[in-house]
Amino acid sequence: MCVLRLILPLLIASLLSSCQTGGNHKITLKDGREFLCKGSPKFIGKTGYYRYKTFQDRDAMLRADEVLMIEDLGT
């Protein structure tokens, strides 16, 4: 019983942290270009752009009307 009280919070914390990372994604544009990003790209409705983080830790943006698909690549 005591071990369960110690392990359960650790399991919950690890599950929550794994859900927040989002993994890597590939953004494919309608013209065939592909971009890899860290984490999940965020759609900014006010501007109509997707904002994402490159593997060089730079912020980047793509127009939503140019995006064909966004694939989750896992980790």
Side-chain angles (χ1 to χ4, degrees), residues 22-28 34-37 39 41 67-74:
N24 298 326
H25 288 74
K26 178 172 72 169
I27 304 170
T28 304
E34 296 178 341
F35 298 89
L36 297 175
C37 64
V67 175
L68 177 64
M69 73 172 128
I70 299 173
E71 297 177 71
D72 184 2
L73 301 176

Side-chain angles (χ1 to χ4, degrees), residues 3 11 19 22 29 36 40 43 45 59 63 67 73-74:
V3 174
L11 286 173
C19 292
L29 301 185
L36 297 175
S40 179
F43 177 69
D59 290 324
R63 283 190 2 206
V67 175
L73 301 176

Side-chain angles (χ1 to χ4, degrees), residues 12-31:
I12 292 171
S14 67
L15 287 173
L16 289 175
S17 66
S18 67
C19 292
Q20 293 176 351
T21 58
N24 298 326
H25 288 74
K26 178 172 72 169
I27 304 170
T28 304
L29 301 185
K30 292 177 182 176
D31 65 5

Side-chain angles (χ1 to χ4, degrees), residues 1-2 4 10 13 18-19 22 24 26 34 38 44 49 53-54 56 62 64 70 72 74-75:
M1 178 85 164
C2 184
L4 184 60
L10 292 174
S18 67
C19 292
N24 298 326
K26 178 172 72 169
E34 296 178 341
K38 291 195 315 191
I44 312 298
Y49 280 79
K53 187 73 103 171
T54 68
Q56 292 79 28
L62 292 169
I70 299 173
D72 184 2
T75 55

